[in-house]
Amino acid sequence: MVKLTGLKKIKTAVFISGTGSNLKNLIKFSKIKNSPMSIDLIFSNTSKAKGLRFSNQFNIKKYISSFKDPKITEAKILNLLNREAIKFICLAGFMKILSKNFIKKFNGKIINIHPSLLPKYKGLDTHKKAIQNKDEVAGCTVHYVTAKLDSGKVILQKEVKISKKDNPTSLAKKVLRQEHKLYPAAIKKIFN
Ligand code: GAR
């Protein structure tokens, strides 16, 4: 959907709400010579997001604004993305829902990582649901973001076996390890 032109890395913003392990992983990926992207902005809807520390650590601009008034926040973000010439957005543990209008402005240029094998288990508590349903496999998905929650076209998925001993916490850890491989692989798939 988005092709890289020339040798310039595509300027990317990562949106987070929490720990930011996927953000850190994407930053490391972006620094590899042949990586198609650079990460130039971190956005969080909360100042409590632990992942914001990577802004200082890697010298990347950050912007924080609560979604109390989503319209105003989104307008501010769009302004900033424009100013910073951001062309691509990766959602990484971002727990707010972007409006149709926002998504339209970045049509085909927003991707998300979700901790389930979509279309199974959209929304929250994916690991709890998988265990409760006695699923044998869980997993993660990188997909395009559309106005319908967790429903855009799948880019890549990875299965993770659920063992009898797993609880939602242990499963989340196993899936997260795979997320860290899957997100860069999905980005490579888009741009190469
Ligand atoms: C990840 O498991 C990600 O897939 C999930 O939140 C976690 C964030 O971890 N995202 C969602 O649930 C989005 N609906 P991280 O902050 O360590 O990257």
Side-chain angles (χ1 to χ4, degrees), residues 18-22 93 95 113-115 176 179:
T19 314
S21 72
N22 275 294
M95 302 314 261
I113 188 152
H114 183 76
L176 195 59
E179 289 184 33

Side-chain angles (χ1 to χ4, degrees), residues 16-24 51 91-95 112-116 122-127 140-141 143 149-150 172 175-176 179-180:
I16 62 166
S17 299
T19 314
S21 72
N22 275 294
L23 164 65
K24 185 181 182 197
L91 308 184
F94 182 62
M95 302 314 261
N112 178 43
I113 188 152
H114 183 76
S116 79
K122 296 172 184 174
L124 301 175
D125 297 326
T126 55
H127 305 306
C140 43
T141 304
H143 65 96
L149 182 71
D150 297 332
V175 171
L176 195 59
E179 289 184 33
H180 294 161

